Amino acid sequence: MAFLSTSVGSSALGSGVDSAAGSVSGGPERFELVDEETSIGRHPDCNIVVDAGAVSRYHAKVVRQKDQFTVFDLGSRNGTFLNGQLLSGGQILREGDRIRISDIELIFHSDSVPEFASGGSAEMTFSGSSFGIVMVDDDSDSSRVVAPQVEFEKSGDGLKMRATPEAKLEALLKINRNLSNTLSLDSVLPGILDSLFSIFPSADRGFIVMETEDGGLQTRWIKTRQARDETETVRISRTIIRRVISSGEALLSFDAMQDSRFNSSESIADFSIKSMICAPLGDAQGNRFGAIQIDSTQGRGQFVEEDIDLLAGVAAQAGILITNAQMHEQALHQREVEQDLKLATDVQKAFLPQQQPDADGYAVESYYQAANHIGGDYFDYIQLADGKIGIVVADVVGHGVAAAMFMAKLSAETRFCLAGEPDAARAIEKLNDRMSELGVDRFVTFLLIVVDPASSQATIVNAGHMPPIWRHAGSGEITEPGGEESGLPIAIDSGMEYEAVNIQVEPGDVLLLYTDGVNEAMDAKDNEFGIEAIRQLAAKERDAGAIKDQIVDAVLKHVGDAPPFDDMCLVVIQRLPPPEAAAGPTPIDTVGNDDIDTALR
């Protein structure tokens, strides 16, 4: 006996006077098609009464001709839909067809559905996969109805399944309850697909596809109803995913194999996809970054029009859950990066001198500040075999992790080259060759001063760096030796020749070495501190420590609250006067505050 059924009971449905459907129970309805014509509408004379304002008085009818049933729309105001498509004219009904009138859906059955023993349980096998079905008796109180979790419809291919609205609502609540506090993406993604398989029992496969940083597509999680061969290649239509992401609209196909939109999709043909839904994933701001697709390949049931809104709603919630999980993972990653940077900062500090060099008759002061956690500026004090001291200040182009790693290599190579070559210029040529061999797109401005505590002589080798500022104690004159003899920076090209410049450092003389992070330090208005200001400050004070402190204070005051522009490194070398001279009267400074203020301006 053919009949129409609803998946859940509705007070909007009733039986007409001439209907053979029987009484309305409030649960899932069943209307037997025994008459030649079964009318459906809002009028009380209809065989199936649909009491809703959006339904016409005489909305549709089902006509019986022997064992064939045809559904017609009766010129209704809002139309009649068959399997999601607007009905025009008559359409012969097949097993499982869905007739939608307003919010009511009627399912056509050509024969009765097998009954299961009440109060027990049964298990049915579909293509090798098992699904447990628990039947629960109604409570003795007729006002309470226990809704089934899965509805079965019979067809020529066997039983097909569809979750009840109650089951779908419960699954949606489960997604929110179980996943809202889940902060791991590897837990959120399978949890979403597990919940979708509860909402859509007819789904055989589910995919979550997300865009990569370079704009590609990556399948982040896959779920199949049956156990999948790990060697099997899963193919997903990129065209379908792209269409959904770009349009922002979910896509539903009742029969994907016959859908003209997918004629060129090999994945549809390869897997014989019978029905599919694909919905976009997006964050709270509406930025779309992926899609969810579920499809049916085993014929367990066909997705219906209302499912597209349901999956779109799940996808909207899933998008926020995924975004939250991604933000949490990014926060964890950022924390790890910060910990690594802190460790790198400690390691880099270990590369830098921890105390003044052991150079009798000289005072050496230094200051170092990286623009970020770690920097590319470098200074070092290197004790040479003949008792001399090599003092280096260098600046790797750029700053950050890459510059710091290059600086670490430079530090080791500098010590190696100076230890093996007594001639300072030849040692820097060897250093340049070894750093150039690395083939790294980096270069270094490099300044070396070798002082001899046993004499007044100092040797300068300059590889593209600013020359030292030399304040002569006797005259107060400021000069910058070695500027004209400067060669190319280190690691630009091998085979470079460098020239050494020898100077006589008298007691009280000061040599100031610095990187461009000092003179190019900018204030909030992008005004540089300037080399002239450094010269003026170097000329004002006699003590190396005081010179360093005054320059650093002036630079930091100039920068103010502006973020650091570059790494800053400063080394002040002073040849100390003999003890008897140090006890004498202090000469009057020849540079006044007005001169410094003028230089700073």
Side-chain angles (χ1 to χ4, degrees):
M1 178 66 65
F3 64 97
L4 295 175
S5 70
T6 61
S7 55
V8 80
S10 173
S11 59
L13 283 173
S15 56
V17 175
D18 299 326
S19 171
S23 61
V24 179
S25 65
E29 306 289 337
R30 173 186 173 117
F31 302 93
E32 295 181 359
L33 302 174
V34 295
D35 298 330
E36 292 184 359
E37 286 191 8
T38 301
S39 57
I40 307 170
R42 189 161 43 88
H43 196 277
D45 291 339
C46 290
N47 298 97
I48 301 176
V49 178
V50 182
D51 188 13
V55 178
S56 298
R57 290 163 58 84
Y58 295 93
H59 198 105
K61 67 178 180 179
V62 176
V63 177
R64 175 182 178 182
Q65 294 178 332
K66 295 185 179 180
D67 294 329
Q68 179 175 288
F69 295 83
T70 305
V71 61
F72 296 85
D73 181 81
L74 299 178
S76 62
R77 181 172 65 253
N78 295 313
T80 301
F81 292 83
L82 180 64
N83 296 327
Q85 303 295 321
L86 183 64
L87 186 65
S88 59
Q91 181 69 45
I92 296 175
L93 292 173
R94 296 175 298 176
E95 175 62 33
D97 279 351
R98 286 169 161 74
I99 304 170
R100 184 168 64 81
I101 297 174
S102 183
D103 294 328
I104 304 301
E105 184 175 76
L106 300 168
I107 305 172
F108 175 76
H109 301 278
S110 60
D111 203 348
S112 58
V113 178
E115 295 182 355
F116 299 97
S118 63
S121 64
E123 181 175 91
M124 303 193 68
T125 300
F126 298 84
S127 302
S129 297
S130 297
F131 298 86
I133 305 169
V134 179
M135 307 299 296
V136 183
D137 287 333
D138 288 347
D139 190 89
S140 57
D141 182 355
S142 61
S143 65
R144 295 178 59 198
V145 178
V146 180
Q149 295 299 297
V150 179
E151 180 188 61
F152 289 88
E153 307 157 17
K154 183 183 178 184
S155 72
D157 298 329
L159 293 183
K160 296 183 178 181
M161 301 184 300
R162 186 182 178 206
T164 65
E166 289 81 1
K168 294 178 179 179
L169 177 60
E170 181 180 347
L172 286 173
L173 293 175
K174 181 180 178 181
I175 292 178
N176 185 66
R177 181 172 60 251
N178 294 347
L179 299 180
S180 59
N181 294 324
T182 302
L183 298 177
S184 169
L185 198 59
D186 288 340
S187 298
V188 169
L189 298 181
I192 291 170
L193 290 181
D194 288 344
S195 299
L196 284 178
F197 272 41
S198 298
I199 297 173
F200 300 101
S202 58
D204 294 303
R205 306 188 310 167
F207 310 100
I208 295 179
V209 180
M210 295 169 59
E211 288 185 331
T212 58
E213 292 184 358
D214 60 0
L217 294 176
Q218 180 183 12
T219 303
R220 296 298 302 270
W221 211 269
I222 300 173
K223 181 177 177 64
T224 58
R225 187 77 67 176
Q226 297 179 347
R228 183 174 66 90
D229 184 356
E230 295 298 330
T231 63
E232 176 187 351
T233 300
V234 177
R235 304 176 67 182
I236 303 173
S237 172
R238 181 180 288 105
T239 302
I240 295 173
I241 299 296
R242 285 292 187 197
R243 179 185 300 178
V244 168
I245 295 176
S246 61
S247 68
E249 297 179 355
L251 185 149
L252 166 65
S253 178
F254 298 103
D255 189 347
M257 291 287 292
Q258 302 300 322
D259 198 321
S260 60
R261 294 173 296 178
F262 309 138
N263 285 342
S264 61
S265 176
E266 294 182 3
S267 64
I268 298 293
D270 287 350
F271 288 98
S272 301
I273 295 175
K274 301 186 183 326
S275 184
M276 62 159 293
I277 317 177
C278 188
L281 290 169
D283 58 21
Q285 287 71 43
N287 302 311
R288 296 183 292 275
F289 58 83
I292 296 179
Q293 176 180 317
I294 56 174
D295 53 48
S296 172
T297 62
Q298 302 298 324
R300 264 189 277 273
Q302 188 181 55
F303 300 120
V304 295
E305 188 178 11
E306 67 187 38
D307 291 337
I308 194 171
D309 293 331
L310 182 58
L311 183 62
V314 172
Q317 185 180 10
I320 296 175
L321 292 173
I322 292 172
T323 302
N324 290 341
Q326 287 177 322
M327 292 175 62
H328 177 69
E329 290 188 352
Q330 290 171 0
L332 292 178
H333 177 68
Q334 181 63 29
R335 186 180 303 172
E336 292 178 357
V337 170
E338 290 177 354
Q339 291 175 347
D340 289 343
L341 287 175
K342 184 179 183 303
L343 178 60
T345 301
D346 295 338
V347 171
Q348 185 180 51
K349 287 180 179 179
F351 278 107
L352 301 176
Q354 306 301 308
Q355 59 188 10
Q356 293 184 1
D358 184 15
D360 291 339
Y362 283 88
V364 181
E365 297 286 342
S366 63
Y367 174 80
Y368 186 95
Q369 177 178 300
N372 298 317
H373 289 80
I374 52 180
D377 283 5
Y378 159 63
F379 78 99
D380 202 356
Y381 311 137
I382 304 171
Q383 192 77 40
L384 303 179
D386 54 5
K388 297 178 182 179
I389 305 295
I391 299 175
V392 177
V393 168
D395 184 0
V396 179
V397 62
H399 44 82
V401 175
M405 294 178 67
F406 200 74
M407 182 273 282
K409 178 64 173 176
L410 176 70
S411 172
E413 292 292 346
T414 299
R415 286 180 167 270
F416 174 80
C417 293
L418 287 177
E421 176 56 63
D423 186 291
R426 303 293 81 78
I428 302 310
E429 291 172 2
K430 185 177 180 180
L431 172 66
N432 175 66
D433 291 342
R434 293 177 68 89
M435 296 300 293
S436 298
E437 289 173 358
L438 298 177
V440 180
D441 188 19
R442 295 271 169 179
F443 64 87
V444 187
T445 63
F446 187 95
L447 179 62
L448 167 68
I449 296 182
V450 179
V451 298
D452 184 1
S455 69
S456 60
Q457 183 172 308
T459 301
I460 301 172
V461 181
N462 193 338
H465 200 82
M466 290 83 65
I469 294 175
W470 183 12
R471 190 198 69 190
H472 300 264
S475 62
E477 181 186 6
I478 295 292
T479 60
E480 298 178 21
E484 295 182 0
E485 295 81 6
S486 175
L488 288 177
I490 300 294
I492 287 183
D493 194 9
S494 60
M496 293 293 103
E497 294 183 358
Y498 294 94
E499 183 177 351
V501 175
N502 295 315
I503 62 173
Q504 299 294 320
V505 183
E506 302 298 333
D509 284 2
V510 171
L511 290 165
L512 192 150
L513 294 71
Y514 59 97
T515 60
D516 58 8
V518 179
N519 60 285
E520 294 180 359
M522 293 186 179
D523 61 12
K525 297 180 180 180
D526 292 339
N527 297 313
E528 290 187 357
F529 184 72
I531 295 178
E532 186 58 33
I534 300 175
R535 295 186 182 116
Q536 293 288 350
L537 292 168
K540 182 175 183 291
E541 295 288 345
R542 283 188 171 277
D543 179 75
I547 293 175
K548 180 205 69 174
D549 292 341
Q550 190 164 357
I551 292 175
V552 170
D553 291 344
V555 171
L556 296 180
K557 182 178 179 181
H558 175 79
V559 172
D561 295 331
F565 174 76
D566 199 356
D567 307 325
M568 291 193 297
C569 180
L570 178 71
V571 176
V572 181
I573 308 168
Q574 183 179 34
R575 186 179 180 193
L576 300 175
E580 60 274 12
T586 301
I588 299 175
D589 292 326
T590 59
V591 181
N593 290 329
D594 292 340
D595 297 323
I596 296 173
D597 292 339
T598 300
L600 291 175
R601 288 195 294 270

